[in-house]
Amino acid sequence: DLKLNMTINCKKRIKGTYFPPGDKSISHRILILTGQAVGESQISNLLEGEDVLNTLKVMKMLGANIKKKDGKYIVFGLPPGALFEPTKSLDFGNSGTGIRLLSGIISSNNIKAKLIGDKSLSARPMRRVTDHLKKIGAIIKLRKDSFPPMSIQGVGDAVPFKYDILIPSAQIKSAIMLSALNTKGLVEIKEYKSTRDHTENMLKAMGYNIRVKEDLTHRYIKMKNDKDLKNIKYNVPGDPSSAAFFITAACLKPGSKLVIKNMLYNKTRIGFIKTLKKMGAEIQVINKRKVNFEILADLKIDQKKFLKPTILEANDVPLQVDEIPILSIAASFAGGKSVFKGLKELTVKESNRLELVHQNLKNMGVKSEVKGFDLHIYGNYELKKGGAKIIHHHDHRIVMSFYIANLICIKNNVIKDKSSVKTSYPSFFKDTGKYFH
Ligand code: S3P
């Protein structure tokens, strides 16, 4: 059986026309923002991963009317400031985006709520958002002054502020922006421009009063709540962070040919494409178009040569923050030493991804070192690596990354309990079956 597996795996090519599932970041945001827009909105291609479904449930508990009809979600929202006080705890499961974004919106409503999550979420730092949200007048309590459960007594008359965000994080920024929806006066935000800007783009698409400027390093946002959020018809683009598993696999497996359709091509999300290209991957970008202030594109990959190692600078990490685990698999098959610098934020994701990537690479026979927050990977073209028992702490992206490694290696890694994948990519295993021939 093992022998059979071995031959099948390393002989497979990745081929076909692939439509990635709906983008997770955008799915959270469109549910939240249409939930704050009066009138009927329609969402198609919403990601039906557990993280997003938890945000959907919470928005319903806060008073939004959301129904599924003919594959689309129909939302009737409440105007900002009109959220209902929930009668039960709001459970965000595994989702940092869900809990942090909703903490923002709740903080500027005159309601009380308790926000909870699973074991992983209950160990993730929340002060990065709550320290900002306390300034508007919200009273917020955290376990050990740091972690969920989070109880919030929000305010109906939030005070407008100027914020300077020192950690590059779209979740922190978006929490503040969502609190601004029910804040009278001018809210100003300064942040690193490498974080994803979907909240900004969606607010523009919904007719909100928002100005965004960027210089070399920073982004400056000004918001005023003197215009309503307009209801919208929104088709969620394909998730580049989910597509990254298939894109990387296609760049590694000799003879692969893959077309990727309808993928979000926002510049804050495609750092990994640049990295793979720098490593020598042949990725062609076609049909670039702009819809609802987001760029979409189709891609074509034609694998012809092995990848080269690369150096990733710390400033570029936010542009591919969720793709480092799969890029580490790419680096492990590139001939020579790759260095990913400044991975501090990876230590506070769904798991300590820096540590788990390092441990698992080591266990599958790839030399790897962690120096401070830098990850050094000594790759080679050898397909004989593998045979590790993968430690994943139920982190979806660790599971998917090392599952992709399995489809390339001759020796299988053992991955027990892959159920966490459904938080972001419920059809992942079905898709690997479909595109690996
Ligand atoms: C996300 C932002 C990122 C990312 C997460 C989704 C978002 O987190 O890692 O998967 O949708 O805003 P940070 O902004 O906290 O780095």
Side-chain angles (χ1 to χ4, degrees):
D1 188 33
L2 186 65
K3 229 179 188 171
L4 190 70
N5 249 335
M6 282 164 33
T7 40
I8 288 173
N9 281 354
C10 65
K11 276 194 182 154
K12 282 186 179 177
R13 312 269 168 277
I14 175 155
K15 271 188 188 155
T17 301
Y18 166 65
F19 288 82
D23 186 72
K24 179 150 77 78
S25 291
I26 289 190
S27 293
H28 282 293
R29 286 162 172 78
I30 195 66
L31 284 170
I32 298 169
L33 289 182
T34 56
Q36 294 277 274
V38 178
E40 180 183 310
S41 293
Q42 284 185 19
I43 311 168
S44 46
N45 201 36
L46 185 82
L47 173 68
E48 289 177 319
E50 270 181 358
D51 282 8
V52 172
L53 295 178
N54 281 324
T55 290
L56 188 153
K57 251 187 254 162
V58 167
M59 286 308 293
K60 277 183 167 178
M61 289 167 80
L62 294 171
N65 184 329
I66 310 175
K67 289 205 177 80
K68 193 172 178 181
K69 202 183 154 197
D70 305 328
K72 286 183 188 160
Y73 284 88
I74 313 291
V75 183
F76 288 90
L78 300 167
L83 293 185
F84 299 179
E85 183 161 290
T87 49
K88 281 192 274 179
S89 296
L90 308 174
D91 191 349
F92 292 92
N94 192 243
S95 178
T97 306
I99 197 169
R100 294 199 179 110
L101 267 54
L102 264 297
S103 74
I105 217 153
I106 289 166
S107 289
S108 67
N109 274 258
N110 187 13
I111 56 170
K112 213 193 251 166
K114 188 176 176 193
L115 290 67
I116 62 172
D118 69 5
K119 191 174 157 204
S120 148
L121 186 55
S122 300
R124 296 182 65 188
M126 294 296 138
R127 285 281 295 276
R128 48 177 59 205
V129 282
T130 59
D131 282 351
H132 291 291
L133 297 173
K134 276 180 182 172
K135 289 196 282 190
I136 67 174
I139 300 166
I140 306 179
K141 293 211 174 73
L142 292 166
R143 181 178 65 83
K144 290 192 180 164
D145 205 22
S146 303
F147 309 110
M150 181 189 318
S151 61
I152 305 178
Q153 170 61 65
V155 286
D157 48 359
V159 184
F161 270 102
K162 269 191 179 175
Y163 299 88
D164 192 355
I165 308 174
L166 303 176
I167 304 172
S169 161
Q171 293 179 359
I172 301 177
K173 164 185 62 184
S174 300
I176 295 170
M177 292 179 72
L178 291 171
S179 80
L181 295 181
N182 191 40
T183 301
K184 281 202 178 61
L186 183 68
V187 173
E188 294 182 69
I189 301 170
K190 178 184 177 196
E191 64 140 3
Y192 288 100
K193 84 159 181 196
S194 49
T195 78
R196 63 197 68 193
D197 58 355
H198 310 305
T199 312
E200 296 88 310
N201 295 338
M202 212 175 274
L203 285 171
K204 286 181 191 167
M206 295 174 79
Y208 201 75
N209 189 354
I210 174 168
R211 294 271 141 75
V212 183
K213 275 191 190 142
E214 289 177 4
D215 63 20
L216 266 179
T217 50
H218 286 84
R219 185 180 293 121
Y220 305 84
I221 302 166
K222 288 186 183 176
M223 294 173 64
K224 221 171 177 183
N225 77 337
D226 56 1
K227 277 187 193 158
D228 287 339
L229 270 176
K230 289 203 190 84
N231 51 325
I232 192 170
K233 281 189 184 156
Y234 200 101
N235 181 39
V236 179
D239 194 330
S241 302
S242 295
F245 298 105
F246 290 81
I247 293 173
T248 306
C251 293
L252 288 170
K253 298 269 324 186
S256 292
K257 270 186 205 284
L258 186 69
V259 176
I260 299 106
K261 291 265 194 189
N262 195 44
M263 193 187 88
L264 178 68
Y265 203 73
N266 180 307
K267 67 177 191 300
T268 64
R269 296 290 301 282
I270 50 163
F272 75 98
I273 304 251
K274 283 204 179 139
T275 302
L276 287 170
K277 278 187 172 174
K278 241 179 94 183
M279 296 173 82
E282 296 212 16
I283 307 176
Q284 218 188 318
V285 182
I286 47 180
N287 292 335
K288 267 212 234 176
R289 56 216 184 256
K290 200 173 193 172
V291 187
N292 287 325
F293 292 87
E294 293 288 357
I295 312 277
L296 276 74
D298 304 332
L299 310 180
K300 261 188 185 168
I301 298 168
D302 201 349
Q303 199 286 345
K304 286 193 188 126
K305 32 182 210 253
F306 290 121
L307 296 183
K308 299 177 293 197
T310 192
I311 302 211
L312 180 66
E313 296 299 335
N315 283 342
D316 294 332
V317 169
L319 304 170
Q320 44 217 298
V321 65
D322 293 334
E323 290 71 63
I324 300 293
I326 188 64
L327 285 174
S328 77
I329 301 297
S332 77
F333 288 104
K337 173 173 145 180
S338 291
V339 184
F340 299 154
K341 295 184 185 169
L343 301 183
K344 187 167 182 209
E345 278 298 300
L346 263 78
T347 64
V348 291
K349 292 292 176 193
E350 286 84 328
S351 69
N352 181 339
R353 287 182 177 160
L354 174 57
E355 198 46 42
L356 290 193
V357 164
H358 163 67
Q359 282 301 334
N360 286 316
L361 285 179
K362 234 174 60 180
N363 293 347
M364 62 184 265
V366 179
K367 185 178 164 195
S368 130
E369 293 162 350
V370 177
K371 295 185 178 170
F373 292 109
D374 299 349
L375 178 62
H376 296 227
I377 298 169
Y378 297 78
N380 56 54
Y381 308 134
E382 188 56 71
L383 299 182
K384 271 186 216 141
K385 32 187 170 269
K389 186 168 176 272
I390 298 301
I391 315 162
H392 55 65
H393 296 176
H394 303 284
D395 181 328
H396 55 132
R397 297 204 200 276
I398 298 289
V399 171
M400 288 187 279
S401 298
F402 285 89
Y403 189 82
I404 291 292
N406 270 10
L407 298 171
I408 295 157
C409 299
I410 294 178
K411 283 191 278 180
N412 261 323
N413 297 303
V414 178
I415 312 177
K416 278 202 181 140
D417 191 358
K418 302 189 263 293
S419 60
S420 60
V421 162
K422 62 184 181 294
T423 62
S424 70
Y425 196 164
S427 58
F428 175 75
F429 295 109
K430 202 178 98 202
D431 285 353
T432 53
K434 212 159 128 190
Y435 299 104
F436 281 81
H437 299 280

